[in-house]
Amino acid sequence: MTREGALLIMVAVALVLLALGVWAWRRRTQRDASLTAPVGELPAGAVPETTVSGLYVATTRHDEPLERLAVRGLGFRSRVDVIVAGAGSTAGVALDLTGQPRLFIPAARIVSVDQATVAIDRVVEKQGLTRLSWLIDDETIVDSYFRPQTVSARALAAAVQNILTPTQTPGGDA
């Protein structure tokens, strides 16, 4: 085989792999088209209690840390500022992801918060990620993973736990 022939085969293989990746992502976006990120500002009266900078890792199906969701605004890794806001009915968590509109998750939609070690393409020290489980619609629970850089994952989880009602519980180990 000539060098040109080998080069053509390598280019063809690369193009096929690229096409398969595009095809898989399009199917994933079609599958998740019914899910929408909660775009919105902090409600009037919400009091920002904690702001944590770090990395947004992914949003996955609940208890499936390797199944990334292709939800607009939450589909890709990014830098993030997580703002934990208190004050009763206006409590919640705001996410400022780079290049995306602010997302606000009301405390009433948060199911649990805990720590994790693995999420899709990120494996860290034991309990090095914060996992926020929340309702993206009326029945679908998703897990969003964060890698805090200004505080520990435990401190971020504790800050979110402080705004939850007693019926909302911290999750287990992941």
Side-chain angles (χ1 to χ4, degrees), residues 30-118:
Q30 290 172 351
R31 177 197 70 188
D32 298 334
S34 65
L35 303 175
T36 57
V39 174
E41 292 296 321
L42 289 171
V47 179
E49 295 177 355
T50 306
T51 300
V52 176
S53 294
L55 297 173
Y56 164 74
V57 178
T59 295
T60 66
R61 296 192 179 284
H62 184 57
D63 287 335
E64 295 181 31
L66 302 179
E67 186 61 35
R68 182 187 303 268
L69 294 175
V71 177
R72 173 173 246 119
L74 295 172
F76 300 102
R77 287 180 58 188
S78 173
R79 295 194 90 26
V80 67
D81 286 326
V82 179
I83 302 163
V84 180
S89 63
T90 60
V93 175
L95 306 176
D96 286 331
L97 288 99
T98 304
Q100 299 294 330
R102 177 176 277 176
L103 306 176
F104 181 73
I105 305 166
R109 288 197 167 269
I110 297 174
V111 175
S112 67
V113 61
D114 61 347
Q115 294 169 256
T117 303
V118 177

Side-chain angles (χ1 to χ4, degrees), residues 84 93 110-114 132 154-171:
V84 180
V93 175
I110 297 174
V111 175
S112 67
V113 61
D114 61 347
L132 182 68
R154 179 180 304 172
L156 177 56
V160 174
Q161 187 62 39
N162 286 338
I163 66 167
L164 301 182
T165 63
T167 59
Q168 296 165 301
T169 60

Side-chain angles (χ1 to χ4, degrees), residues 16 68 99 108 128 139 149:
V16 166
R68 182 187 303 268
E139 59 191 39
Q149 294 181 325

Side-chain angles (χ1 to χ4, degrees), residues 112-130:
S112 67
V113 61
D114 61 347
Q115 294 169 256
T117 303
V118 177
I120 300 183
D121 60 351
R122 178 68 56 174
V123 177
V124 299
E125 73 278 0
K126 186 174 171 97
Q127 308 301 316
L129 297 171
T130 301

